[in-house]
Amino acid sequence: MAKSSPEMPKSPQDVIKMAKDQNLKVLDLKFIDFPGLWQHFSVPISALDEDAFKDGFGFDGSSIRGWQAINESDMLIIPDPETAIVDPFMETPTLSMVCNIQDPLTRSPYSRDPRSVARKAENYLKSTGLADIAYFGPEAEFFIFDDIRFDQDARSGYYYVDSVEGRWNTGRDEKPNLGYKLRHKEGYFPVPPSDALHDIRSEMMLTMIECGMNIEAHHHEVATGGQCEIDFRFSPLVSSADQLILYKYIVKNVAKKHGRTATFMPKPLFGDNGTGMHTHQSLWKGDKPLFAGAGYAGLSEMALHYIGGLLKHAPALLAITSPTTNSYKRLVPGFEAPVNLAYSQRNRSAAVRIPMYSNSPKAKRVEFRCPDPTCNPYLAFAAMMMAGLDGIQNKIDPGEPLDKNIYDLEPEELAKVPSTPGSLEEALNALKKDHAFLLKGDVFTEDVIETWISYKMNNEVKQVQLRPHPYEFALYYDA
């Protein structure tokens, strides 16, 4: 397999030289659809020249989820040379690049291209004069399963997942069963043989490094049955979203290589921890970190106002950052997920946490804990930043921190702490009412918001509402 260079290409000339030096045969053009999955098509490497980075390649966008109507389907895809890597999974040596989408007539960025939204968000930040860079560091968890089966038709519906680590397999005849099965909620940091996925995660990590990602650590997560996390270093908004999509691609493909399957669903198991994506974020101007100060938890006034914006707009934000019906199986009051719309330097049940691992001003950041990795990161990171900027611009007070143990609060005290929406439908309705902050600088448009709400309501919310749930038979069959 051809190897990516440790120094990733930066210019079209660098990319063309890389393709020639490594004798690459195929150019793979990747882009993100509206809900947030990578799509691609490939052309011969002979099609790659400097003009390709300006003129792009034509394609039909009518079948991409949430995109153009059939009568206006012609689009241009423009490769970004800064994202060039050698695809680590293709047998034929393949150059891969993330692309932007343009209208072929106006040559303007396509407004429903999520990467375009994220790029506009970065430009808007600079235009405000408040900061130059928004850094994002997502912590995306996932499950690795040995088997997954699911189906739904007019008369039946089920899902079945399995893992050699799963506590439910202590009695299975495995010829022999060695008994190293993780107890529910005790999967955090055990060594092998209980952690049966160490080598697979290491291969994932090394593949990410080969593709130019800066990896900090990998470990088993809390849940039984294969919950994992690999942490990569924060980077500017668009770059971080690019890396998260590459991260998911590598996780899924390495798992498949080993005959396993990986999922980023927020709640694939009942009775154990769900999968979140705690998202660290900070603003900088030049070389100066702007979130460090003399306020609560070492925060600046700007950082506290940023938190105020996140908390004020959280119900609407969650329609984008926690965008599936399954997301709200994780975000349930009284369990492990961060559903309390408050902030704290220690309390992990708060929606916003201020990490206290370091006193360095450069490490000062806020962590929004509600998102999960089913989100489209380009839209999610842009939306979070826009909410934070709205907090700064309007000096939104985040209120008092929630440093008490939420489970020790008296009912009347707990009632004063607002919670996240209870369903995707509730979050979408909140977004419908509260999205003016996203329209600033034309970062999001009314069309993007309306299309997002319509797509999610018609293709996800209503489809789940229409179908009987298996547990309803246990509850009501004998009624």
Side-chain angles (χ1 to χ4, degrees):
M1 183 182 74
K3 300 294 183 183
S4 299
S5 167
E7 285 294 324
M8 292 293 110
K10 296 297 182 185
S11 70
Q13 296 82 2
D14 292 334
V15 176
I16 292 168
K17 183 176 185 299
M18 171 186 172
K20 183 177 180 181
D21 290 349
Q22 300 199 39
N23 197 27
L24 304 182
K25 303 294 186 183
V26 175
L27 171 59
D28 198 51
L29 302 166
K30 293 185 173 75
F31 61 99
I32 196 83
D33 71 4
F34 204 51
L37 290 181
W38 246 0
Q39 310 293 317
H40 80 133
F41 67 92
S42 301
V43 298
I45 200 69
S46 58
L48 181 65
D49 56 24
E50 289 190 35
D51 287 341
F53 294 91
K54 295 179 293 184
D55 300 333
F57 300 86
F59 77 106
D60 177 2
S62 64
S63 296
I64 305 303
R65 296 184 299 171
W67 278 19
Q68 297 280 46
I70 194 96
N71 62 320
E72 49 183 17
S73 60
D74 291 341
M75 313 196 83
L76 285 178
I77 187 167
I78 313 294
D80 182 343
E82 293 191 11
T83 66
I85 61 169
V86 177
D87 192 298
F89 303 106
M90 299 298 106
E91 289 187 17
T92 304
T94 298
L95 174 66
S96 171
M97 279 187 280
V98 180
C99 302
N100 299 310
I101 309 301
Q102 289 185 359
D103 183 289
L105 299 180
T106 66
R107 295 304 303 265
S108 59
Y110 179 44
S111 64
R112 291 190 199 171
D113 172 19
R115 197 168 191 263
S116 172
V117 173
R119 292 167 69 212
K120 287 192 291 181
E122 287 191 325
N123 291 334
Y124 174 69
L125 173 65
K126 294 173 184 175
S127 77
T128 65
L130 293 169
D132 299 323
I133 302 176
Y135 284 112
F136 280 80
E139 297 177 348
E141 299 166 344
F142 56 93
F143 278 87
I144 299 174
F145 292 129
D146 300 325
D147 189 35
I148 170 67
R149 286 176 276 144
F150 53 90
D151 200 4
Q152 180 97 40
D153 58 27
R155 67 182 183 89
S156 66
Y158 76 96
Y159 66 90
Y160 176 90
V161 298
D162 204 6
S163 166
V164 69
E165 288 186 346
R167 189 65 176 175
W168 54 85
N169 281 325
T170 55
R172 185 170 67 176
D173 184 5
E174 295 179 348
K175 304 185 188 308
N177 188 323
L178 300 179
Y180 296 107
K181 314 296 184 187
L182 295 169
R183 285 179 286 271
H184 288 279
K185 298 183 179 292
E186 293 187 22
Y188 200 63
F189 284 20
V191 298
S194 296
D195 177 3
L197 300 168
H198 173 87
D199 285 337
I200 292 179
R201 289 198 311 274
S202 290
E203 184 175 339
M204 291 170 177
M205 177 184 73
L206 293 175
T207 305
M208 291 173 190
I209 292 170
E210 178 187 314
C211 291
M213 295 180 65
N214 189 339
I215 303 300
E216 296 182 331
H218 76 72
H219 58 86
H220 205 285
E221 260 296 341
V222 173
T224 188
Q227 192 179 37
C228 299
E229 183 178 317
I230 303 172
D231 295 325
F232 61 91
R233 188 170 174 80
F234 65 88
S235 60
L237 191 155
V238 172
S239 172
S240 186
D242 287 341
Q243 290 187 73
L244 181 59
I245 296 299
L246 177 60
Y247 171 101
K248 294 175 72 171
Y249 179 72
I250 290 170
V251 165
K252 291 176 181 178
N253 278 282
V254 171
K256 182 177 181 292
K257 176 182 171 183
H258 288 269
R260 307 286 182 87
T261 178
T263 181
F264 290 86
M265 271 183 71
K267 195 70 173 181
L269 295 182
F270 167 68
D272 214 327
N273 281 36
T275 287
M277 190 181 76
H278 306 153
T279 304
H280 299 253
Q281 45 206 287
S282 63
L283 299 181
W284 288 55
K285 193 164 190 177
D287 294 329
K288 181 183 178 184
L290 301 179
F291 277 10
Y296 172 80
L299 294 177
S300 65
E301 183 179 55
M302 174 183 279
L304 289 167
H305 288 151
Y306 189 100
I307 291 171
L310 286 175
L311 294 176
K312 176 183 177 181
H313 298 298
L317 279 180
L318 262 63
I320 298 172
T321 67
S322 306
T324 68
T325 58
N326 187 251
S327 300
Y328 299 86
K329 301 293 194 300
R330 167 183 170 254
L331 295 172
V332 178
F335 294 88
E336 79 281 355
V339 300
N340 302 291
L341 295 181
Y343 67 104
S344 174
Q345 62 183 342
R346 292 206 176 264
N347 194 333
R348 291 174 182 265
S349 68
V352 176
R353 190 176 75 95
I354 300 91
M356 302 301 292
Y357 302 120
S358 171
N359 291 323
S360 169
K362 292 184 177 181
K364 191 56 63 179
R365 60 201 187 273
V366 302
E367 175 191 5
F368 192 45
R369 295 173 63 81
C370 301
D372 67 62
T374 57
C375 71
N376 185 322
Y378 299 98
L379 300 180
F381 295 171
M384 284 185 270
M385 189 199 75
M386 295 299 288
L389 288 180
D390 187 64
I392 295 167
Q393 291 163 333
N394 292 293
K395 300 187 183 305
I396 297 174
D397 183 355
E400 293 298 315
L402 181 66
D403 286 335
K404 298 178 182 178
N405 186 333
I406 194 72
Y407 302 108
D408 293 339
L409 294 181
E410 296 296 328
E412 58 271 17
E413 192 174 1
L414 181 60
K416 297 176 184 177
V417 181
S419 293
T420 54
S423 67
L424 178 58
E425 182 174 18
E426 188 179 332
L428 290 167
N429 287 333
L431 178 61
K432 190 173 185 179
K433 296 174 184 175
D434 175 27
H435 61 260
F437 69 98
L438 297 173
L439 304 179
K440 295 177 182 178
D442 198 39
V443 173
F444 288 76
T445 64
E446 286 284 2
D447 172 70
V448 165
I449 299 297
E450 289 171 5
T451 302
W452 182 263
I453 293 171
S454 174
Y455 180 91
K456 287 287 175 178
M457 285 295 294
N458 291 321
N459 292 280
E460 299 179 28
V461 172
K462 289 182 180 178
Q463 297 308 314
V464 171
Q465 288 176 341
L466 284 169
R467 287 161 170 79
H469 189 287
Y471 197 62
E472 290 177 324
F473 285 83
L475 291 172
Y476 309 125
Y477 187 78
D478 60 350

